[in-house]
Amino acid sequence: MMHIPVLNQLETRTEWISFFRRERSYAYITNPLCLVDLQTTYLQITLLKEDMLDGRQATKFSLGSKSSIEPAWKMIKACNWQLSGIIDGLVSLKFNSNARDNAFPGIHRDLTVRKFFAKDKQLLAPTLIGPLSPLTQKPESWSINDVCRLLSHHQYSHSKFLPQPLKPAPLRSMLLKIIDSPYGWTVTNNGTEITLSYLNKALLSIQPDIKKPAPRLQETG
């Protein structure tokens, strides 16, 4: 399964410290709507929109230094630990067509800022990449989002990969493909089972088992 952390905000020192202490400092933020990713000494911020269906439409900023995370950390501190303030500063900068390094107002010159378009098609609208909650009851009419929730929380008792019935169904791979390219998928209800199809080709037969999923461990720190 793929579970992408989704945080409400990064607006305080405590929230930033908790974010940096994660095994991987990578999460969607709902307010302001974006993806934040710390890669070694660079902080990457990708701005998202509710109606965005292709991640390649997203604007991406990279802030940091080749030698140390310290310039990025000082920038966060200078913006009063508010991600919203950082983004306001970023969108106010003027970048040329070559996306050359730009100076962030009032920040040490060791920090470089670049702006470019994201290359990740998977960065879909938050309605598709947000947290997939488990189903609490069988839907009257199944949707693709219902199937994603079902697969994400293992709420099924049986599955069959129809092109190759003797092999285990590649459920994780199929879930990622649905999230990556949500169009062209359909689901039909066949009584006790549902069938997932892509471009009218039946791929997966699932027997739903709508039960409460096992609780996940809470994060500490």
Side-chain angles (χ1 to χ4, degrees), residues 32-217:
L33 196 57
C34 62
L35 172 68
V36 180
D37 183 13
L38 177 64
Q39 295 191 355
T40 58
T41 59
Y42 286 89
L43 184 68
Q44 297 190 352
I45 300 174
T46 306
L47 305 185
L48 304 173
K49 296 180 180 180
E50 285 287 355
D51 59 351
M52 189 183 71
L53 296 176
D54 189 329
R56 291 168 295 188
Q57 300 170 349
T59 300
K60 193 169 188 174
F61 296 94
S62 177
L63 311 89
S65 166
K66 292 182 179 180
S67 58
S68 170
I69 188 61
E70 189 68 18
W73 183 251
K74 288 181 178 179
M75 178 270 301
I76 297 170
K77 183 178 180 179
C79 291
N80 199 28
W81 308 100
Q82 296 180 337
L83 176 62
S84 56
I86 296 172
I87 292 176
D88 287 343
L90 289 171
V91 298
S92 70
L93 295 178
K94 296 188 182 300
F95 295 84
N96 62 25
S97 58
N98 293 322
R100 296 174 62 87
D101 291 345
N102 209 312
F104 201 92
I107 306 300
H108 195 279
R109 292 293 300 178
D110 286 345
L111 180 83
T112 58
V113 183
R114 298 183 68 247
K115 175 184 178 182
F116 47 96
F117 285 106
K119 298 179 180 179
D120 306 322
K121 185 179 180 182
Q122 296 94 324
L123 297 178
L124 303 176
T127 50
L128 295 174
I129 51 82
L132 294 169
S133 60
L135 295 171
T136 57
Q137 61 184 12
K138 185 179 295 186
E140 292 185 7
S141 178
W142 285 87
S143 68
I144 294 301
N145 186 61
D146 293 330
V147 175
C148 288
R149 294 167 65 186
L150 187 88
L151 295 177
S152 179
H153 292 277
H154 286 191
Q155 292 182 296
Y156 52 86
S157 58
H158 177 72
S159 64
K160 180 186 294 185
F161 187 49
L162 299 178
Q164 297 176 298
L166 298 181
K167 293 187 176 182
L171 299 180
R172 182 178 182 277
S173 175
M174 295 188 71
L175 176 59
L176 294 178
K177 286 181 179 179
I178 297 172
I179 295 174
D180 179 44
S181 301
Y183 296 110
W185 296 89
T186 56
V187 56
T188 55
N189 190 346
N190 305 313
T192 60
E193 295 186 346
I194 57 175
T195 300
L196 182 66
S197 302
Y198 180 66
L199 299 180
N200 297 321
K201 180 181 179 180
L203 297 179
L204 183 67
S205 176
I206 318 170
Q207 186 171 340
D209 184 8
I210 311 301
K211 58 185 177 182
K212 185 177 181 180
R216 298 174 183 168
L217 295 177

